[in-house]
Amino acid sequence: MFGREFIWVTVGILALIFLAAFEALAVTTVMPTISAALDGESLYAVAFSGPLAVGVVGMVAAGNWSDRSGPVPVVLTAVVLFIVGLLIAGTAATMPALIVGRLVHGLGGGALSVSLYVVVARVYPQRMHPAIFGAFAGAWVVPSLIGPFIAGLVAEFASWRWVFLGVVVLVLAAVAMLRPGLARIAAAERERPVTAREPWRISRTVWSLGAAAAVLCASVAPQLPGVLLWLGTGTAFVLAGVALRPLLPAGTLSGRRGLPVVMTIRGLVSGAFLSTEVYLPALLTGEYSLSPALAGLALTCAGITWALASWLQGRYATALSDRSSMWLGSALLLVAIAASAATSALTLSPLVAIVGWAVAGAGMGTLVPRQSGRVLRLSPPAQQGFNSSALLIADSIGAALALAATAVVFVAVAPLGNSATYTASFTFSALLAVGGLLLARRVGADTPAEDPANTPPSA
């Protein structure tokens, strides 16, 4: 993939993934600084759940658009949205303005993730796909190692704004490297007959818009007074469930055995992981007065162990079944979240939470790759695209809804003080990990023939 024919496309794709990973980890590190500077603590969770929610719209629309017109216009549109979102966020004078930028950035990021997969399918021969997707995973490792620390230093010695603005030029450079590959794809696309193009699937985009709107409503519900908070949150969660049904395999919301429960577990563990990770730097900087750079150390440790666990489970895949991997991963995540909760509740050393979060990374690295592999293995060719998209949607919406719920927890427990709010939030996240742990037994056998899970979409 680094030969003369592919090198610039490979470098361009990996650079875009690297920058997206850096941005995600960097923003998590500096968001406590941003919310304090913009007096936006009440919208802290929305700054994370919002981009995840609208990212689903980008994923669904980009998949359909790529199948119909090829990935070139999708990549270019996604990059424009990505950059515009960074510029808005980097120049924001208020927290609502920053969230608008994050929403635009999230929409572009969701579309970019799907369209780059299509670029790989169009540019590289199939025998090279394992190598390039392995490089995708590797592109997350370096940002995990240096991203949080660098972002902390930038926020501490320059300005948090450069965490957004500094990435813009690099994104443009990465797209420039992609030009030869995109031109090749565009030429081939012009020769593709109209009858071979996928029709527009407007209904799925509409449902994704409904799911995103419901998640955003749940995220802002904590701003409502009294009983309206609970009524608004409950209504938003119900509407999100209704909108998600056509976007996921039938039985996902109920944790049905086989393929659906893999999606369910993905949503639960993603929610547990991210709803803890976004508040951990706030705990370390706010309650323990650590610098943003030191608080980012927890995210760095998790990135290292995630990569290491992913490598180990790939190398020794036969040592654990899919079911055991998902059980073990959920268990490790639960232990890590418990360490964070104990740190806030008992005022333990911050090292307890930092080391504990390294265990969380190991848990995610143990189960996430096995989930992706299982979904492809249990999906017939006609459903591989739908099921792969569904797994990403479960990941994003699960995390977004968990963040919305933790915001409600913060509001409900706020009168008891900061320590109690962090403890209550981490306890809620731990319950999500318990859900993944209990559902792991429903994953079923590793052999598809013994585990009929090829359920058609519910729509």
Side-chain angles (χ1 to χ4, degrees):
M1 62 183 174
F2 290 104
R4 181 178 300 177
E5 183 181 0
F6 301 109
I7 183 169
W8 288 113
V9 180
T10 300
V11 173
I13 290 176
L14 295 182
L16 285 174
I17 294 174
F18 176 95
L19 294 171
F22 174 86
E23 191 67 23
L25 293 163
V27 171
T28 303
T29 303
V30 302
M31 189 56 72
T33 302
I34 295 173
S35 63
L38 300 181
D39 192 25
E41 286 83 356
S42 62
L43 295 174
Y44 188 91
V46 184
F48 292 99
S49 60
L52 290 171
V54 299
V56 170
V57 180
M59 292 174 192
V60 173
N64 193 183
W65 190 4
S66 295
D67 287 340
R68 180 172 178 81
S69 305
V72 175
V74 189
V75 170
L76 297 178
T77 303
V79 167
V80 169
L81 291 172
F82 194 85
I83 291 175
V84 169
L86 291 175
L87 293 174
I88 295 173
T91 57
T94 64
M95 195 68 171
L98 180 126
I99 289 175
V100 170
R102 292 279 287 157
L103 293 177
V104 176
H105 168 265
L107 182 65
L112 189 62
S113 64
V114 172
S115 59
L116 288 181
Y117 273 66
V118 181
V119 168
V120 169
R122 300 291 177 87
V123 171
Y124 299 89
Q126 191 170 13
R127 60 180 173 78
M128 296 177 65
H129 289 179
I132 190 66
F133 285 130
F136 276 25
W140 278 82
V141 174
V142 175
S144 298
L145 296 175
I146 65 173
F149 184 72
I150 290 178
L153 292 178
V154 169
E156 193 172 348
F157 296 106
S159 169
W160 59 263
R161 298 183 183 278
W162 287 106
V163 172
F164 298 99
L165 300 177
V167 176
V168 172
V169 175
L170 299 177
V171 171
L172 291 173
V175 175
M177 296 177 194
L178 276 175
R179 282 187 59 191
L182 296 180
R184 194 186 320 161
I185 295 171
E189 195 64 33
R190 286 191 292 268
E191 299 178 1
R192 189 159 65 112
V194 176
T195 54
R197 300 177 186 272
E198 181 74 9
W200 290 111
R201 306 288 185 184
I202 302 300
S203 62
R204 291 199 71 217
T205 302
V206 171
W207 283 116
S208 69
L209 284 168
V215 171
L216 290 174
C217 289
S219 300
V220 300
Q223 310 299 313
L224 299 175
V227 70
L228 291 178
L229 182 154
W230 303 101
L231 182 61
T233 301
T235 302
F237 270 70
V238 170
L239 293 176
V242 172
L244 280 173
R245 287 189 72 252
L247 304 177
L248 302 171
T252 297
L253 299 182
S254 59
R256 183 186 300 173
R257 176 183 171 85
L259 183 62
V261 79
V262 177
M263 308 285 183
T264 311
I265 295 172
R266 181 61 161 263
L268 288 171
V269 298
S270 294
F273 182 83
L274 194 61
S275 62
T276 304
E277 187 173 69
V278 300
Y279 286 112
L280 191 53
L283 170 69
L284 297 175
T285 56
E287 301 301 304
Y288 290 91
S289 300
L290 296 186
S291 68
L294 287 177
L297 182 63
L299 279 61
T300 298
C301 292
I304 295 171
T305 54
W306 188 323
L308 179 60
S310 298
W311 177 79
L312 287 173
Q313 68 81 32
R315 185 174 179 83
Y316 304 103
T318 57
L320 285 176
S321 65
D322 289 347
R323 178 193 294 157
S324 298
S325 294
M326 291 183 211
W327 185 92
L328 178 60
S330 299
L332 292 174
L333 181 59
L334 177 59
V335 169
I337 297 173
S340 296
T343 300
S344 62
L346 305 176
T347 321
L348 302 178
S349 167
L351 285 175
V352 174
I354 292 173
V355 174
W357 204 237
V359 177
M364 296 298 284
T366 299
L367 64 85
V368 167
R370 297 298 285 268
Q371 288 176 326
S372 301
R374 187 172 183 83
V375 166
L376 290 179
R377 191 167 65 252
L378 296 181
S379 301
Q383 293 180 20
Q384 286 177 347
F386 174 85
N387 288 338
S388 297
S389 173
L391 187 65
L392 294 175
I393 290 171
D395 187 291
S396 296
I397 294 295
L401 289 175
L403 286 168
T406 53
V408 174
V409 172
F410 257 70
V411 170
V413 187
L416 301 179
N418 288 342
S419 177
T421 56
Y422 285 117
T423 303
S425 174
F426 294 150
T427 300
F428 172 81
S429 301
L431 293 176
L432 298 179
V434 169
L437 190 67
L438 295 176
L439 287 174
R441 63 181 180 176
R442 306 182 69 180
V443 169
D446 281 0
T447 304
E450 300 173 5
D451 186 15
N454 301 328
T455 311
S458 58

